[in-house]
Amino acid sequence: VNKHGLIKTIHTSDSSKGMKTRGILITGNSVSMGYPVVNFGDYQNSFVNNLERSLREKDDSIDILNLSFSGFNSWQENIQVARYFNSETNHIDLPSNIELIASVGGIQDFWGFIDFLHLKPNEFNKYYFANGFMSLKGDIFMNNGYLLEKVNKSLNGNILSATEIFTSSIINFIKKRSYLIRGFSYVARKYKKPIITELENKSIKQNLDNIIQNKIKITLDEYQQKKKVKIDSVVRNIKSISSFQTNPNVLFVYLPTKFTVVDNEENSSSGVSPYRNFLIEYNLNAQDLNILEKDYRNSLLEKLSKLKGVKVSNLSKGAKYNWFYDESHFSKTGQKKIADRLLLVFQDALKIQ
């Protein structure tokens, strides 16, 4: 990361030199951060840095700022953009002329939608939880309103709440700083048995209705209502991001995932690691996720395309399994492939020949 706590990019501008700068803000989660290559010290080969390198070959005034952060959904992306515009006037290396804001990824809000389908009424009815759309990835206990509720009880003499906060803070401290725990997490994730697609059995073909009613076990009306609530939330967040520019120029790019390519028959033997418990609980396989994600993605992109100043780019198709490190993060090969596909999209948005 750089001195601002942002993911490093290959170029840093300097406003004190009076040079023209065309700033681009990239927002997203760990996918657009460049995981895992950035974690291995190879940040220059993330798809964002590959993209910036290619754009600067065509226009050396381009300066990309990567505001992405692990686990961020569109609500947190909106907050990151607000933070940037509140801070950039204090720093010569943060350009004021932002010509393009690009939300790149899309997968985090899809997982938020799947989480929402899984929530029980007593969970999503809590005001502070906001259906899980505004909380950080991870343990709900230490997030937002729930923490405030615990703090309030502690200040009013509730020893149990005070102990929970203290214990949780110690555990989180150890988790974030323990190389041993990081190592175990990596190994567990790497070797966890994947969920295999049902495409291997040509006689089995789940459709959306079957998945909703027989696996997730909610009605079709409940599903459609929950999908609308989630998509409306994402649309509001992207619309808010567009409001930071006088003349909005916002890109929403939906990237491929490992389960968006299971329709390709040659790739039918690989699967998706069940790192969310409900995938096991509902017996959701890679083909199920493919169908659910396609329905969610199509509905979302249709609504986003109607926003003024927002361009939608659907890059979910055409990927290969060797592009992926895991379900949604890209291998070094994938980082380069995605950058190549993004180049044309960004050239068009910036009107670069």
Side-chain angles (χ1 to χ4, degrees):
V1 297
N2 64 18
K3 67 179 183 180
H4 303 298
L6 303 176
I7 296 298
K8 278 187 179 180
T9 52
I10 60 170
H11 173 73
T12 302
S13 58
D14 185 346
S15 61
S16 66
K17 295 181 179 179
M19 303 289 288
K20 176 187 175 183
T21 301
R22 304 180 70 185
I24 301 171
L25 301 183
I26 302 287
T27 67
N29 66 351
S30 53
V31 174
S32 47
M33 278 179 65
Y35 178 85
V37 296
V38 295
N39 291 57
F40 299 150
D42 193 17
Y43 78 95
Q44 293 186 342
N45 283 310
S46 70
F47 72 74
V48 170
N49 282 322
N50 280 321
L51 172 64
E52 183 171 29
R53 188 177 296 110
S54 297
L55 286 173
R56 285 183 55 77
E57 288 175 358
K58 300 176 181 298
D59 184 345
D60 64 7
S61 69
I62 294 293
D63 185 11
I64 289 183
L65 289 304
N66 193 344
L67 310 185
S68 306
F69 195 81
S70 179
F72 271 17
N73 59 22
S74 56
W75 179 76
Q76 285 134 339
E77 291 177 40
N78 180 39
I79 298 301
Q80 280 290 77
V81 174
R83 178 177 289 110
Y84 181 87
F85 283 108
N86 285 334
S87 303
E88 54 86 8
T89 55
N90 302 321
H91 305 280
I92 61 174
D93 59 335
L94 300 180
S96 298
N97 178 35
I98 300 300
E99 292 197 12
L100 178 67
I101 304 173
S103 174
V104 182
I107 186 62
Q108 199 68 46
D109 279 305
F110 171 67
W111 285 130
F113 170 56
I114 297 297
D115 285 336
F116 186 35
L117 293 179
H118 181 249
L119 283 179
K120 303 300 185 288
N122 65 315
E123 293 174 307
F124 64 73
N125 283 341
K126 294 180 178 179
Y127 173 81
Y128 61 77
F129 187 52
N131 291 324
F133 302 163
M134 300 170 71
S135 60
L136 292 172
K137 179 182 178 182
D139 188 359
I140 295 172
F141 164 67
M142 292 305 291
N143 287 327
N144 302 324
Y146 198 28
L147 176 59
L148 295 178
E149 181 181 296
K150 289 289 183 181
V151 169
N152 181 60
K153 289 181 178 179
S154 300
L155 292 175
N156 284 282
N158 189 310
I159 297 176
L160 180 59
S161 293
T163 303
E164 284 183 276
I165 293 174
F166 179 69
T167 303
S168 183
S169 66
I170 292 176
I171 292 172
N172 286 336
F173 179 87
I174 294 172
K175 283 182 177 179
K176 290 178 180 179
R177 288 160 178 80
S178 171
Y179 289 103
L180 183 60
I181 291 177
R182 291 180 190 177
F184 280 134
S185 297
Y186 171 79
V187 171
R189 186 175 176 84
K190 190 69 176 174
Y191 295 102
K192 187 175 286 186
K193 184 180 179 181
I195 300 172
I196 303 300
T197 173
E198 289 181 354
L199 286 181
E200 293 174 343
N201 185 344
K202 301 299 182 182
S203 65
I204 299 176
K205 179 72 174 178
Q206 289 285 357
N207 61 41
L208 183 62
D209 291 1
N210 284 337
I211 295 168
I212 294 166
Q213 294 176 306
N214 299 326
K215 289 195 171 185
I216 301 177
K217 299 187 185 304
I218 60 175
T219 67
L220 298 179
D221 286 344
E222 286 177 301
Y223 171 82
Q224 293 297 340
Q225 176 60 27
K226 285 193 170 187
K227 184 176 71 170
K228 180 181 184 303
V229 170
K230 177 57 182 176
I231 288 177
D232 285 350
S233 174
V234 177
V235 170
R236 283 194 298 271
N237 295 332
I238 301 302
K239 185 176 181 180
S240 178
I241 288 174
S242 72
S243 71
F244 289 103
Q245 294 175 294
T246 304
N247 297 305
N249 188 19
V250 174
L251 263 179
F252 184 90
V253 183
Y254 205 107
L255 296 180
T257 61
K258 203 171 185 181
F259 49 85
T260 62
V261 299
V262 298
D263 285 333
N264 189 343
E265 188 173 325
E266 67 181 274
N267 292 327
S268 63
S269 63
S270 295
V272 178
S273 297
Y275 65 96
R276 277 174 159 76
N277 289 332
F278 61 79
L279 297 184
I280 301 173
E281 179 183 337
Y282 292 153
N283 193 29
L284 293 178
N285 55 52
Q287 175 66 9
D288 297 334
L289 289 173
N290 173 283
I291 294 169
L292 287 164
E293 191 270 344
K294 184 185 298 182
D295 179 65
Y296 165 83
R297 181 183 70 241
N298 290 343
S299 298
L300 173 64
L301 298 185
E302 180 182 2
K303 280 205 169 184
L304 285 175
S305 65
K306 297 175 182 178
L307 291 180
K308 182 179 179 181
V310 177
K311 298 176 182 177
V312 172
S313 180
N314 182 7
L315 300 185
S316 62
K317 295 296 182 183
K320 303 292 184 183
Y321 269 105
N322 68 347
W323 292 22
F324 295 96
Y325 171 77
D326 58 20
E327 293 81 9
S328 57
H329 299 98
F330 298 104
S331 63
K332 191 170 182 177
T333 296
Q335 300 282 347
K336 183 64 171 66
K337 295 289 188 180
I338 291 299
D340 291 343
R341 296 180 68 184
L342 286 172
L343 179 60
L344 294 176
V345 176
F346 276 68
Q347 280 184 241
D348 179 65
L350 294 163
K351 296 180 171 55
I352 297 175
Q353 298 300 319

